[in-house]
Amino acid sequence: MGKITQTLDRGSLPRSPAFQNHLFTVDVETGVLRASQGFIHLHLHKIPSRELIVDMDSVYQYLGYPAQANDDSGTSRDNLWLYGVGTFVVLWTLGWLYRDSLEIEDIKDKYVFVTGCDSGFGNLLCKRLDRRGFRVIAGCLTEKGADDLNRATGPYLKTVLLDVTSTASIQKAMEYTKQEVGDNGLWGIVNNAGRSLPMGPSEWMRLEDYTSTLKVNMTGVIEMTLTFLPLIKQAQGRIVNVASVLGRVAANGGGYCISKFAVESFSDCLRRDIHYFGIKVCIIEPGFFKTAVTSLDPIERELHRLWNQLTPEVKTSYGDKYLEKYIQIQRLIMNAVCDSDLSKVTNCMEHALVSSYPRTRYSAGWDAKLGWIPLSYMPSCVIDIGLKLVMPRPAKSV
Protein backbone atom coordinates (compact mmCIF):
# COMPACT_ATOMS: atom_id res chain seq x y z
CA MET A 1 0.00 0.00 0.00
CA GLY A 2 3.03 2.33 0.38
CA LYS A 3 3.66 5.00 3.03
CA ILE A 4 0.89 7.56 3.29
CA THR A 5 0.74 10.19 6.08
CA GLN A 6 -2.45 12.21 6.39
CA THR A 7 -4.44 13.91 9.16
CA LEU A 8 -8.13 13.30 8.68
CA ASP A 9 -11.42 13.82 10.44
CA ARG A 10 -14.75 12.06 10.13
CA GLY A 11 -15.67 13.94 6.97
CA SER A 12 -12.53 13.52 4.92
CA LEU A 13 -11.66 9.81 4.96
CA PRO A 14 -9.97 8.91 1.65
CA ARG A 15 -12.05 6.85 -0.81
CA SER A 16 -9.09 5.49 -2.75
CA PRO A 17 -9.21 1.76 -3.67
CA ALA A 18 -5.64 1.57 -2.36
CA PHE A 19 -7.04 1.56 1.18
CA GLN A 20 -9.34 -1.40 0.54
CA ASN A 21 -8.81 -5.04 1.58
CA HIS A 22 -6.11 -4.36 4.21
CA LEU A 23 -6.05 -4.99 8.00
CA PHE A 24 -5.34 -2.05 10.29
CA THR A 25 -4.53 -1.55 14.01
CA VAL A 26 -6.16 1.42 15.76
CA ASP A 27 -4.36 2.71 18.90
CA VAL A 28 -6.77 4.78 21.03
CA GLU A 29 -4.12 6.88 22.84
CA THR A 30 -2.19 8.01 19.78
CA GLY A 31 -5.03 7.95 17.29
CA VAL A 32 -2.78 6.18 14.78
CA LEU A 33 -4.23 3.78 12.26
CA ARG A 34 -1.47 1.32 11.46
CA ALA A 35 -1.24 -1.08 8.53
CA SER A 36 1.33 -3.64 7.46
CA GLN A 37 3.18 -0.87 5.59
CA GLY A 38 3.09 2.86 6.26
CA PHE A 39 0.68 4.66 8.59
CA ILE A 40 -2.22 7.11 8.47
CA HIS A 41 -2.94 9.67 11.26
CA LEU A 42 -6.63 9.75 12.11
CA HIS A 43 -8.53 11.67 14.83
CA LEU A 44 -10.64 8.78 16.08
CA HIS A 45 -12.59 8.94 19.34
CA LYS A 46 -14.48 6.60 21.64
CA ILE A 47 -13.10 3.34 20.31
CA PRO A 48 -14.09 0.79 22.92
CA SER A 49 -10.78 -1.12 23.27
CA ARG A 50 -7.08 -0.25 23.32
CA GLU A 51 -6.01 -2.51 20.46
CA LEU A 52 -8.69 -3.23 17.83
CA ILE A 53 -8.07 -4.97 14.50
CA VAL A 54 -10.34 -3.62 11.77
CA ASP A 55 -10.37 -3.47 7.99
CA MET A 56 -11.09 -0.30 6.03
CA ASP A 57 -14.76 -1.18 5.64
CA SER A 58 -15.01 -1.09 9.46
CA VAL A 59 -13.34 2.32 9.54
CA TYR A 60 -15.77 3.64 6.91
CA GLN A 61 -18.67 2.32 8.94
CA TYR A 62 -17.37 3.85 12.20
CA LEU A 63 -17.04 7.26 10.56
CA GLY A 64 -20.53 7.12 9.08
CA TYR A 65 -19.74 6.13 5.48
CA PRO A 66 -21.36 3.23 3.59
CA ALA A 67 -19.05 0.26 4.12
CA GLN A 68 -19.05 -0.95 0.50
CA ALA A 69 -19.09 2.36 -1.38
CA ASN A 70 -16.17 1.53 -3.69
CA ASP A 71 -17.04 -2.16 -4.01
CA ASP A 72 -20.57 -1.25 -5.10
CA SER A 73 -19.30 1.01 -7.85
CA GLY A 74 -16.93 -1.75 -9.02
CA THR A 75 -19.73 -4.27 -8.91
CA SER A 76 -21.93 -1.92 -10.93
CA ARG A 77 -19.24 -1.62 -13.56
CA ASP A 78 -18.88 -5.41 -13.68
CA ASN A 79 -22.63 -5.84 -14.01
CA LEU A 80 -22.76 -3.24 -16.77
CA TRP A 81 -20.10 -5.18 -18.67
CA LEU A 82 -22.04 -8.43 -18.25
CA TYR A 83 -25.27 -6.75 -19.37
CA GLY A 84 -23.50 -5.42 -22.44
CA VAL A 85 -22.09 -8.81 -23.38
CA GLY A 86 -25.42 -10.52 -22.75
CA THR A 87 -27.27 -7.97 -24.87
CA PHE A 88 -24.79 -8.40 -27.71
CA VAL A 89 -25.15 -12.21 -27.62
CA VAL A 90 -28.96 -12.03 -27.64
CA LEU A 91 -29.04 -9.50 -30.49
CA TRP A 92 -26.48 -11.47 -32.50
CA THR A 93 -28.47 -14.69 -32.02
CA LEU A 94 -31.72 -13.05 -33.09
CA GLY A 95 -30.01 -11.53 -36.11
CA TRP A 96 -28.49 -14.89 -37.07
CA LEU A 97 -31.85 -16.66 -36.74
CA TYR A 98 -33.56 -14.04 -38.88
CA ARG A 99 -30.83 -14.23 -41.54
CA ASP A 100 -30.94 -18.02 -41.45
CA SER A 101 -34.71 -17.98 -42.08
CA LEU A 102 -34.54 -15.92 -45.30
CA GLU A 103 -35.33 -17.89 -48.46
CA ILE A 104 -34.76 -17.44 -52.18
CA GLU A 105 -37.52 -16.45 -54.58
CA ASP A 106 -38.81 -17.99 -57.84
CA ILE A 107 -38.35 -21.59 -56.70
CA LYS A 108 -40.52 -22.86 -59.57
CA ASP A 109 -37.95 -21.66 -62.10
CA LYS A 110 -35.00 -23.42 -60.44
CA TYR A 111 -33.58 -26.82 -61.38
CA VAL A 112 -31.89 -29.21 -58.95
CA PHE A 113 -30.02 -32.43 -59.77
CA VAL A 114 -29.87 -35.10 -57.05
CA THR A 115 -27.81 -38.31 -57.18
CA GLY A 116 -28.55 -41.59 -55.39
CA CYS A 117 -32.34 -41.29 -55.55
CA ASP A 118 -33.37 -44.96 -55.58
CA SER A 119 -33.87 -44.92 -51.80
CA GLY A 120 -32.86 -43.21 -48.57
CA PHE A 121 -32.00 -39.54 -48.30
CA GLY A 122 -31.98 -38.85 -52.04
CA ASN A 123 -35.39 -40.42 -52.60
CA LEU A 124 -36.99 -38.46 -49.75
CA LEU A 125 -35.29 -35.22 -50.77
CA CYS A 126 -36.63 -35.45 -54.35
CA LYS A 127 -40.18 -35.84 -53.04
CA ARG A 128 -39.79 -32.83 -50.74
CA LEU A 129 -38.27 -30.61 -53.43
CA ASP A 130 -40.99 -31.65 -55.87
CA ARG A 131 -43.64 -30.55 -53.35
CA ARG A 132 -41.82 -27.24 -52.87
CA GLY A 133 -42.07 -26.56 -56.60
CA PHE A 134 -38.49 -27.18 -57.70
CA ARG A 135 -37.86 -28.77 -61.09
CA VAL A 136 -36.00 -31.88 -59.97
CA ILE A 137 -33.78 -34.14 -62.05
CA ALA A 138 -33.21 -37.36 -60.09
CA GLY A 139 -30.28 -39.62 -60.85
CA CYS A 140 -31.20 -43.26 -60.14
CA LEU A 141 -28.95 -46.31 -60.42
CA THR A 142 -31.76 -48.70 -61.39
CA GLU A 143 -34.82 -48.52 -63.63
CA LYS A 144 -36.98 -49.79 -60.78
CA GLY A 145 -35.83 -46.93 -58.55
CA ALA A 146 -36.59 -44.42 -61.30
CA ASP A 147 -40.04 -45.86 -61.99
CA ASP A 148 -41.00 -45.91 -58.32
CA LEU A 149 -39.92 -42.29 -57.88
CA ASN A 150 -41.79 -41.17 -61.00
CA ARG A 151 -45.00 -42.73 -59.70
CA ALA A 152 -44.65 -40.98 -56.33
CA THR A 153 -44.02 -37.47 -57.66
CA GLY A 154 -45.45 -34.85 -59.99
CA PRO A 155 -44.86 -34.12 -63.67
CA TYR A 156 -42.03 -31.66 -63.08
CA LEU A 157 -39.70 -34.31 -61.65
CA LYS A 158 -37.57 -36.10 -64.24
CA THR A 159 -35.43 -39.18 -63.70
CA VAL A 160 -32.25 -40.30 -65.45
CA LEU A 161 -30.25 -43.47 -65.04
CA LEU A 162 -26.92 -42.59 -63.47
CA ASP A 163 -23.85 -44.54 -62.37
CA VAL A 164 -21.47 -42.08 -60.71
CA THR A 165 -18.53 -44.45 -61.26
CA SER A 166 -18.99 -44.22 -65.05
CA THR A 167 -17.70 -41.18 -66.95
CA ALA A 168 -19.99 -41.97 -69.89
CA SER A 169 -23.03 -42.16 -67.61
CA ILE A 170 -22.17 -38.85 -65.96
CA GLN A 171 -21.62 -37.15 -69.32
CA LYS A 172 -24.94 -38.45 -70.63
CA ALA A 173 -26.77 -37.16 -67.53
CA MET A 174 -25.12 -33.77 -67.93
CA GLU A 175 -26.20 -33.48 -71.60
CA TYR A 176 -29.77 -34.34 -70.64
CA THR A 177 -29.70 -31.78 -67.84
CA LYS A 178 -28.27 -29.11 -70.13
CA GLN A 179 -31.20 -29.51 -72.48
CA GLU A 180 -33.70 -29.40 -69.61
CA VAL A 181 -32.39 -26.28 -67.87
CA GLY A 182 -31.70 -24.20 -70.98
CA ASP A 183 -30.63 -20.65 -70.20
CA ASN A 184 -31.67 -20.96 -66.54
CA GLY A 185 -28.65 -23.02 -65.65
CA LEU A 186 -28.63 -25.53 -62.79
CA TRP A 187 -29.48 -24.01 -59.43
CA GLY A 188 -28.26 -26.94 -57.33
CA ILE A 189 -26.58 -30.32 -57.39
CA VAL A 190 -26.82 -32.66 -54.40
CA ASN A 191 -24.08 -35.29 -54.43
CA ASN A 192 -25.86 -37.85 -52.30
CA ALA A 193 -24.96 -41.19 -53.95
CA GLY A 194 -22.72 -43.30 -51.76
CA ARG A 195 -21.80 -46.69 -50.40
CA SER A 196 -20.31 -47.80 -47.10
CA LEU A 197 -19.20 -51.39 -47.63
CA PRO A 198 -16.91 -53.12 -47.12
CA MET A 199 -16.24 -51.81 -43.64
CA GLY A 200 -14.13 -53.57 -41.01
CA PRO A 201 -10.58 -53.88 -39.66
CA SER A 202 -8.07 -52.30 -42.05
CA GLU A 203 -5.87 -55.42 -42.17
CA TRP A 204 -8.77 -57.42 -43.56
CA MET A 205 -9.07 -55.21 -46.65
CA ARG A 206 -7.58 -55.60 -50.10
CA LEU A 207 -6.91 -52.70 -52.43
CA GLU A 208 -10.07 -53.35 -54.44
CA ASP A 209 -12.11 -53.15 -51.23
CA TYR A 210 -10.91 -49.58 -50.80
CA THR A 211 -11.24 -48.52 -54.42
CA SER A 212 -14.80 -49.84 -54.79
CA THR A 213 -15.94 -47.37 -52.13
CA LEU A 214 -13.68 -44.51 -53.20
CA LYS A 215 -14.98 -44.66 -56.79
CA VAL A 216 -18.49 -43.86 -55.57
CA ASN A 217 -17.97 -41.63 -52.54
CA MET A 218 -14.90 -39.66 -53.61
CA THR A 219 -14.19 -39.87 -57.35
CA GLY A 220 -17.91 -39.87 -58.14
CA VAL A 221 -18.50 -36.68 -56.15
CA ILE A 222 -15.53 -34.93 -57.73
CA GLU A 223 -16.39 -35.93 -61.31
CA MET A 224 -20.09 -35.07 -60.92
CA THR A 225 -19.20 -31.65 -59.51
CA LEU A 226 -16.64 -30.76 -62.17
CA THR A 227 -18.87 -32.00 -65.00
CA PHE A 228 -21.93 -30.03 -63.87
CA LEU A 229 -20.01 -26.96 -62.65
CA PRO A 230 -20.52 -24.88 -65.85
CA LEU A 231 -24.31 -25.25 -65.48
CA ILE A 232 -24.14 -24.30 -61.78
CA LYS A 233 -21.89 -21.35 -62.56
CA GLN A 234 -24.45 -20.16 -65.08
CA ALA A 235 -27.14 -20.00 -62.37
CA GLN A 236 -24.80 -18.89 -59.54
CA GLY A 237 -26.20 -21.87 -57.69
CA ARG A 238 -25.41 -24.35 -54.95
CA ILE A 239 -23.27 -27.47 -54.58
CA VAL A 240 -24.39 -29.70 -51.69
CA ASN A 241 -22.03 -32.56 -50.88
CA VAL A 242 -23.06 -35.30 -48.47
CA ALA A 243 -20.17 -36.25 -46.19
CA SER A 244 -20.60 -37.89 -42.78
CA VAL A 245 -19.62 -37.60 -39.14
CA LEU A 246 -17.15 -40.35 -40.08
CA GLY A 247 -15.52 -37.71 -42.24
CA ARG A 248 -14.65 -35.98 -38.97
CA VAL A 249 -13.87 -39.04 -36.81
CA ALA A 250 -12.31 -42.13 -38.38
CA ALA A 251 -13.97 -44.95 -36.45
CA ASN A 252 -13.93 -47.77 -39.01
CA GLY A 253 -11.48 -49.37 -41.38
CA GLY A 254 -12.20 -49.53 -45.10
CA GLY A 255 -12.81 -46.88 -47.70
CA TYR A 256 -15.84 -45.15 -46.17
CA CYS A 257 -14.09 -42.88 -43.64
CA ILE A 258 -11.31 -42.14 -46.11
CA SER A 259 -13.81 -41.10 -48.78
CA LYS A 260 -15.79 -38.87 -46.42
CA PHE A 261 -12.65 -37.11 -45.22
CA ALA A 262 -11.92 -36.52 -48.91
CA VAL A 263 -15.39 -35.06 -49.49
CA GLU A 264 -14.85 -32.66 -46.59
CA SER A 265 -11.49 -31.41 -47.91
CA PHE A 266 -12.65 -31.27 -51.55
CA SER A 267 -15.69 -29.21 -50.55
CA ASP A 268 -13.62 -26.80 -48.46
CA CYS A 269 -11.13 -26.25 -51.29
CA LEU A 270 -13.91 -25.88 -53.86
CA ARG A 271 -15.83 -23.38 -51.72
CA ARG A 272 -12.78 -21.15 -51.34
CA ASP A 273 -11.97 -21.34 -55.05
CA ILE A 274 -15.37 -20.59 -56.60
CA HIS A 275 -17.13 -18.26 -54.16
CA TYR A 276 -16.04 -15.38 -56.40
CA PHE A 277 -18.68 -16.52 -58.92
CA GLY A 278 -21.57 -16.45 -56.45
CA ILE A 279 -21.60 -20.24 -55.95
CA LYS A 280 -22.21 -21.63 -52.46
CA VAL A 281 -20.76 -25.00 -51.39
CA CYS A 282 -22.42 -26.75 -48.44
CA ILE A 283 -21.43 -29.92 -46.58
CA ILE A 284 -23.98 -32.24 -44.97
CA GLU A 285 -22.61 -34.32 -42.07
CA PRO A 286 -25.25 -36.89 -41.07
CA GLY A 287 -24.91 -39.02 -37.98
CA PHE A 288 -26.12 -42.63 -38.01
CA PHE A 289 -29.51 -43.18 -39.67
CA LYS A 290 -31.45 -46.28 -40.69
CA THR A 291 -30.77 -46.52 -44.41
CA ALA A 292 -29.37 -49.14 -46.78
CA VAL A 293 -25.89 -47.92 -45.82
CA THR A 294 -26.37 -48.99 -42.18
CA SER A 295 -28.39 -52.16 -42.82
CA LEU A 296 -27.02 -54.96 -40.64
CA ASP A 297 -27.41 -57.89 -43.04
CA PRO A 298 -25.09 -56.50 -45.75
CA ILE A 299 -22.58 -55.41 -43.10
CA GLU A 300 -22.43 -58.91 -41.62
CA ARG A 301 -22.18 -60.55 -45.05
CA GLU A 302 -19.24 -58.32 -45.95
CA LEU A 303 -17.50 -59.04 -42.64
CA HIS A 304 -17.81 -62.79 -43.26
CA ARG A 305 -16.45 -62.33 -46.79
CA LEU A 306 -13.48 -60.35 -45.50
CA TRP A 307 -12.81 -62.95 -42.81
CA ASN A 308 -12.89 -65.81 -45.29
CA GLN A 309 -10.31 -64.20 -47.55
CA LEU A 310 -7.76 -63.82 -44.72
CA THR A 311 -4.68 -66.02 -44.52
CA PRO A 312 -4.51 -68.62 -41.70
CA GLU A 313 -1.77 -66.59 -40.01
CA VAL A 314 -3.92 -63.45 -39.84
CA LYS A 315 -6.95 -65.39 -38.60
CA THR A 316 -4.85 -66.94 -35.84
CA SER A 317 -3.61 -63.53 -34.70
CA TYR A 318 -7.21 -62.34 -34.22
CA GLY A 319 -8.62 -65.58 -32.82
CA ASP A 320 -11.66 -67.66 -33.75
CA LYS A 321 -14.07 -65.62 -31.62
CA TYR A 322 -13.01 -62.18 -32.84
CA LEU A 323 -15.39 -62.07 -35.83
CA GLU A 324 -18.38 -63.03 -33.68
CA LYS A 325 -17.56 -60.36 -31.09
CA TYR A 326 -17.00 -57.75 -33.79
CA ILE A 327 -20.41 -58.47 -35.35
CA GLN A 328 -22.10 -58.31 -31.94
CA ILE A 329 -20.63 -54.86 -31.33
CA GLN A 330 -21.75 -53.67 -34.78
CA ARG A 331 -25.28 -54.84 -34.00
CA LEU A 332 -25.24 -53.09 -30.64
CA ILE A 333 -23.99 -49.80 -32.11
CA MET A 334 -26.37 -49.76 -35.08
CA ASN A 335 -29.41 -50.64 -32.98
CA ALA A 336 -28.51 -48.08 -30.32
CA VAL A 337 -27.61 -45.01 -32.35
CA CYS A 338 -29.31 -45.27 -35.76
CA ASP A 339 -32.14 -42.74 -36.14
CA SER A 340 -35.15 -43.62 -38.28
CA ASP A 341 -36.14 -39.99 -38.92
CA LEU A 342 -34.47 -39.31 -42.28
CA SER A 343 -36.08 -35.87 -42.47
CA LYS A 344 -33.39 -34.56 -40.09
CA VAL A 345 -30.96 -34.96 -42.98
CA THR A 346 -33.23 -33.86 -45.82
CA ASN A 347 -34.19 -30.74 -43.84
CA CYS A 348 -30.52 -29.74 -43.95
CA MET A 349 -30.26 -30.48 -47.67
CA GLU A 350 -33.41 -28.48 -48.37
CA HIS A 351 -32.21 -25.53 -46.31
CA ALA A 352 -28.92 -25.50 -48.22
CA LEU A 353 -30.91 -25.15 -51.47
CA VAL A 354 -33.61 -22.66 -50.44
CA SER A 355 -31.86 -20.42 -47.90
CA SER A 356 -30.63 -17.03 -49.04
CA TYR A 357 -27.64 -17.53 -46.76
CA PRO A 358 -26.91 -21.28 -46.55
CA ARG A 359 -24.56 -22.59 -43.90
CA THR A 360 -21.16 -24.03 -44.72
CA ARG A 361 -21.79 -27.20 -42.67
CA TYR A 362 -24.92 -28.96 -41.47
CA SER A 363 -24.73 -31.57 -38.71
CA ALA A 364 -27.78 -33.82 -38.89
CA GLY A 365 -28.89 -35.93 -35.92
CA TRP A 366 -28.40 -35.65 -32.19
CA ASP A 367 -25.57 -38.19 -32.20
CA ALA A 368 -23.72 -35.90 -34.62
CA LYS A 369 -24.35 -32.70 -32.66
CA LEU A 370 -23.72 -34.07 -29.17
CA GLY A 371 -21.29 -36.88 -29.87
CA TRP A 372 -19.31 -37.10 -33.08
CA ILE A 373 -18.74 -33.41 -33.81
CA PRO A 374 -17.54 -32.58 -30.27
CA LEU A 375 -15.33 -35.68 -30.40
CA SER A 376 -13.71 -34.40 -33.59
CA TYR A 377 -12.29 -31.43 -31.65
CA MET A 378 -10.82 -33.56 -28.87
CA PRO A 379 -7.28 -34.96 -28.76
CA SER A 380 -6.81 -38.11 -30.81
CA CYS A 381 -5.98 -40.09 -27.69
CA VAL A 382 -9.56 -39.62 -26.43
CA ILE A 383 -11.01 -41.33 -29.51
CA ASP A 384 -8.26 -43.97 -29.45
CA ILE A 385 -9.03 -44.90 -25.85
CA GLY A 386 -12.79 -44.90 -26.47
CA LEU A 387 -12.54 -47.27 -29.42
CA LYS A 388 -10.09 -49.46 -27.54
CA LEU A 389 -12.62 -49.88 -24.74
CA VAL A 390 -15.47 -50.67 -27.13
CA MET A 391 -13.91 -52.89 -29.78
CA PRO A 392 -12.87 -56.53 -29.12
CA ARG A 393 -9.22 -57.34 -28.45
CA PRO A 394 -7.36 -59.69 -30.82
CA ALA A 395 -6.26 -63.00 -29.33
CA LYS A 396 -2.53 -62.32 -29.84
CA SER A 397 -2.51 -58.63 -28.94
CA VAL A 398 0.45 -57.37 -26.92
Side-chain angles (χ1 to χ4, degrees):
M1 149 175 151
K3 291 190 176 183
I4 302 175
T5 304
Q6 194 172 359
T7 302
L8 304 171
D9 58 21
R10 290 173 181 266
S12 60
L13 189 68
R15 308 294 264 172
S16 169
F19 296 115
Q20 298 297 306
N21 302 320
H22 291 279
L23 291 177
F24 300 88
T25 302
V26 180
D27 190 302
V28 180
E29 292 182 354
T30 62
V32 174
L33 176 68
R34 298 188 183 278
S36 56
Q37 298 179 20
F39 56 91
I40 304 170
H41 290 286
L42 297 174
H43 295 289
L44 304 179
H45 305 283
K46 300 180 181 178
I47 297 179
S49 62
R50 179 176 180 79
E51 293 287 338
L52 179 66
I53 303 299
V54 294
D55 59 19
M56 187 52 78
D57 284 343
S58 301
V59 175
Y60 279 143
Q61 188 174 6
Y62 176 78
L63 297 179
Y65 286 92
Q68 297 292 331
N70 285 323
D71 285 348
D72 288 344
S73 62
T75 301
S76 298
R77 286 193 296 271
D78 291 342
N79 289 341
L80 184 62
W81 170 253
L82 290 176
Y83 294 150
V85 171
T87 302
F88 172 78
V89 171
V90 170
L91 292 176
W92 184 90
T93 302
L94 292 175
W96 183 89
L97 291 173
Y98 172 74
R99 186 174 184 269
D100 193 58
S101 68
L102 298 177
E103 295 188 352
I104 60 173
E105 299 177 351
D106 302 324
I107 284 179
K108 293 183 178 181
D109 296 328
K110 298 190 183 301
Y111 290 81
V112 176
F113 193 104
V114 184
T115 69
C117 300
D118 297 73
S119 63
F121 302 136
N123 187 275
L124 180 58
L125 176 64
C126 286
K127 295 173 182 176
R128 292 177 63 117
L129 295 180
D130 181 61
R131 289 194 293 268
R132 286 291 299 262
F134 279 101
R135 296 178 178 268
V136 182
I137 303 173
C140 298
L141 182 62
T142 66
E143 290 186 3
K144 181 181 183 305
D147 292 340
D148 291 343
L149 187 56
N150 276 323
R151 284 194 293 268
T153 53
Y156 292 114
L157 183 141
K158 309 292 184 181
T159 59
V160 294
L161 294 180
L162 174 66
D163 179 2
V164 297
T165 66
S166 168
T167 298
S169 180
I170 292 174
Q171 192 65 34
K172 185 177 179 180
M174 191 277 291
E175 293 296 337
Y176 174 84
T177 303
K178 187 176 182 180
Q179 292 179 357
E180 285 289 319
V181 303
D183 294 335
N184 290 319
L186 183 64
W187 173 250
I189 183 171
V190 181
N191 286 307
N192 168 74
R195 62 176 293 173
S196 62
L197 301 177
M199 188 182 292
S202 298
E203 190 180 11
W204 297 12
M205 304 288 166
R206 295 178 179 175
L207 181 59
E208 54 267 29
D209 295 322
Y210 284 98
T211 56
S212 62
T213 302
L214 295 175
K215 283 181 179 179
V216 178
N217 296 358
M218 183 184 72
T219 310
V221 169
I222 295 173
E223 188 170 4
M224 282 292 300
T225 302
L226 297 180
T227 302
F228 283 79
L229 187 56
L231 299 179
I232 300 168
K233 196 172 180 180
Q234 183 180 349
Q236 298 181 8
R238 311 285 169 83
I239 298 171
V240 182
N241 291 332
V242 180
S244 170
V245 292
L246 296 184
R248 302 284 291 268
V249 178
N252 286 301
Y256 187 77
C257 291
I258 297 171
S259 67
K260 294 306 182 180
F261 270 87
V263 170
E264 294 269 355
S265 58
F266 170 68
S267 301
D268 283 336
C269 294
L270 183 68
R271 182 184 67 256
R272 291 158 186 156
D273 290 338
I274 65 175
H275 77 276
Y276 302 102
F277 305 106
I279 301 173
K280 305 291 195 303
V281 180
C282 305
I283 304 171
I284 312 296
E285 298 172 333
F288 281 57
F289 288 84
K290 290 183 179 179
T291 65
V293 170
T294 57
S295 178
L296 284 171
D297 289 340
I299 292 175
E300 293 179 17
R301 281 198 302 270
E302 282 296 301
L303 286 171
H304 280 287
R305 181 186 68 81
L306 293 172
W307 177 261
N308 292 332
Q309 74 182 15
L310 297 178
T311 63
E313 291 79 10
V314 176
K315 286 184 178 180
T316 301
S317 67
Y318 282 89
D320 295 336
K321 296 183 178 180
Y322 186 88
L323 175 61
E324 180 182 349
K325 292 179 181 178
Y326 194 94
I327 290 176
Q328 288 176 352
I329 290 172
Q330 293 298 317
R331 289 174 182 168
L332 179 64
I333 293 173
M334 295 301 178
N335 290 328
V337 303
C338 283
D339 193 337
S340 60
D341 184 8
L342 304 188
S343 66
K344 291 177 182 176
V345 179
T346 56
N347 286 342
C348 296
M349 296 175 174
E350 186 177 346
H351 186 275
L353 293 169
V354 304
S355 174
S356 299
Y357 302 96
R359 308 170 202 169
T360 300
R361 279 178 166 80
Y362 294 83
S363 300
W366 289 113
D367 64 317
K369 290 181 172 66
L370 302 180
W372 297 105
I373 300 302
L375 270 178
S376 69
Y377 292 102
M378 293 185 181
S380 297
C381 63
V382 175
I383 303 170
D384 293 348
I385 293 171
L387 291 175
K388 187 176 181 180
L389 294 174
V390 172
M391 302 307 293
R393 191 180 184 91
K396 292 191 175 181
S397 61
V398 295

